Amino acid sequence: MSLDVAAIREQFPILKREIDGNPLVYLDNAATTQKPQCVIDALVDYYTTCNSNVHRGAHRLADEATRHFEAARDIVKDFINAPKREEVIWTSGTTEGINIIANGLGQLLSPGDEVITTGMDHHANLVTWQQACKVSGATLKTVPVLDSGELDQSAYSALLNERTKFVAFPHVSNALGTVNPIKEMTAKAKQVGAWVLVDGAQGAAHGRVDVQDIGCDFYAFSGHKIYGPMGVGALWGKASVLANWPVWRTGGEMISTVTLQDATWNVLPYRFEAGTPNVGDAIAMGEAIRWFSALDQDAVAAHEKALLDHATELAERFEGLTIIGQAKEKIGVLSFVLDHGHPADIGFLLDRQGIAVRTGDHCAQPLMARFNVPGTARASFSVYNTLEEVDALFAALKKVRTMLA
Ligand code: PLP
């Protein structure tokens, strides 16, 4: 079945915008996706009908807010096939989810222990582990990236040993679009008894996730990259691991008992949810996942592949353009440089023609250094993009190259 892209576009009011008289062509979906009307409505409904603090109120609004908030947790649980709802922790996004685990890890590691991350990680999944290693005296190792934009799997295997305590890698590279073999990588890490965290910021936005099938211990993702609001996300962790993981943020809600000198912690998931949660956005994130899950996932994948294939074909024929990242398994991300002009200039001149792409290092400075580029221009596709928009990108890019030459 193919995707009814026109009907999908109708649900995104922002796509009707014009930029300097040009129709908006939004190709910056890896940075954040746009929101369908039902997600906007869910947020407005929450604030117009039942805004209240959850779990502690003895009144109707608190009751309703708690019910919607916890129902959204169930939607996340089902979407990632988590075995238990208490394994789903609300966060402010992928970054916070990773920080929760990294902070606890810093307390569990000792000098001599090793942590492995990769040369393609977003800073959120790199600087965090650097810090955990710094505070604990553990050593950070890196899986190198091949010219294709894939991780060097034999180098990864060689890095794993009995000192490896933790491995973190991205499901999908935000800068290159590479889809990593996360199940195989997890299985290898498990052979040496390491904990595994998958950074799912880009993975969750492109199809259902099955954390049980992956076999990892932790999976973190953000609402705003999957048609939901900013400022909310989810961290999943195996109950048996989370139950003993050191807490990071302390305060209200995450405690069980408190005396003037000491405190005991609440049960999962609340022991990792200190303070008032982002209730309205969590509910709207649930609505976003419900909306996305209702789409035919095979059709979504086929549509995004068609966009990427078309863009890649045009890019390969485009004079002076070099694609950065040509992995066999990719989501709809085309990262590139031109022979003339800095990526920032490309972005600026595309914007003047209504085309929104991302330029820069994509929070992956070591990866840019690996490919010896100052940054790239990145077009990233989503369910509402069309082949005509890909054509518009390359028509505009032609003008850009003439201007920059
Ligand atoms: N990891 C990857 C691969 C990302 O692409 C991003 C954001 O672009 C993040 C982590 C951080 O996500 P957030 O800023 O939503 O916390």
Side-chain angles (χ1 to χ4, degrees), residues 297-309:
Q297 296 296 307
D298 291 339
V300 167
H303 177 63
E304 290 191 12
K305 183 173 181 318
L307 293 169
L308 178 67
D309 287 351

Side-chain angles (χ1 to χ4, degrees), residues 30-31 93-96 98 122 124 170 172-174 199 201-202 222 224-225:
T94 310
T95 304
E96 190 185 41
I98 297 171
H122 186 283
V172 173
S173 158
N174 60 311
D199 169 357
Q202 298 294 336
S222 303
H224 71 98
K225 294 193 196 283

Side-chain angles (χ1 to χ4, degrees), residues 57-336:
H59 55 81
R60 192 70 53 92
L61 297 190
D63 228 40
E64 288 175 12
T66 303
R67 218 159 6 89
H68 293 313
F69 179 66
E70 292 300 335
R73 197 190 303 273
D74 287 326
I75 293 174
V76 174
K77 168 195 170 288
D78 292 344
F79 178 63
I80 59 173
N81 193 28
K84 300 173 182 164
R85 69 185 314 281
E86 63 268 27
E87 296 177 327
V88 176
I89 296 159
W90 290 115
T91 63
S92 63
T94 310
T95 304
E96 190 185 41
I98 297 171
N99 268 276
I100 289 172
I101 299 309
N103 202 274
L105 183 69
Q107 300 174 49
L108 297 171
L109 295 175
S110 314
D113 289 342
E114 293 179 2
V115 174
I116 297 177
T117 182
T118 81
M120 64 165 64
D121 271 294
H122 186 283
H123 298 158
N125 202 33
L126 174 61
V127 182
T128 31
W129 311 115
Q130 290 172 355
Q131 289 304 110
C133 288
K134 276 182 192 159
V135 299
S136 61
T139 306
L140 188 65
K141 304 268 173 151
T142 307
V143 184
V145 178
L146 300 170
D147 290 345
S148 61
E150 288 158 330
L151 291 172
D152 184 337
Q153 292 299 330
S154 36
Y156 171 55
S157 300
L159 285 176
L160 289 162
N161 63 65
E162 70 288 350
R163 292 184 300 280
T164 311
K165 290 291 175 301
F166 200 96
V167 180
F169 43 77
H171 189 162
V172 173
S173 158
N174 60 311
L176 307 177
T178 311
V179 180
N180 291 311
I182 54 174
K183 191 173 168 181
E184 291 74 15
M185 290 180 73
T186 300
K188 284 185 193 172
K190 285 292 159 199
Q191 278 169 12
V192 298
W195 289 299
V196 175
L197 179 141
V198 179
D199 169 357
Q202 298 294 336
H206 296 275
R208 283 174 185 282
V209 173
D210 187 337
V211 291
Q212 298 190 61
D213 183 55
I214 298 166
C216 56
D217 298 283
F218 308 105
Y219 191 96
F221 66 109
S222 303
H224 71 98
K225 294 193 196 283
I226 178 168
Y227 311 102
M230 291 190 175
V232 69
L235 167 69
W236 169 81
K238 267 184 198 153
S240 56
V241 182
L242 279 179
N244 300 307
W245 207 259
V247 297
W248 177 32
R249 294 214 163 124
T250 52
E253 189 82 350
M254 57 75 67
I255 51 80
S256 170
T257 58
V258 181
T259 66
L260 284 176
Q261 296 299 327
D262 211 353
T264 58
W265 307 148
N266 204 344
V267 294
L268 290 173
Y270 309 112
R271 64 183 259 144
F272 291 103
E273 292 183 353
T276 299
N278 188 351
V279 179
D281 286 315
I283 292 169
M285 177 171 162
E287 178 60 19
I289 292 177
R290 192 203 56 71
W291 178 85
F292 178 62
S293 305
L295 299 176
D296 178 332
Q297 296 296 307
D298 291 339
V300 167
H303 177 63
E304 290 191 12
K305 183 173 181 318
L307 293 169
L308 178 67
D309 287 351
H310 186 50
T312 306
E313 199 186 317
L314 293 180
E316 282 170 349
R317 278 199 261 131
F318 196 96
E319 201 184 338
L321 185 152
T322 307
I323 300 174
I324 308 293
Q326 303 241 46
K328 273 187 229 73
E329 295 293 326
K330 273 181 78 171
I331 54 148
V333 164
L334 184 82
S335 233
F336 61 92

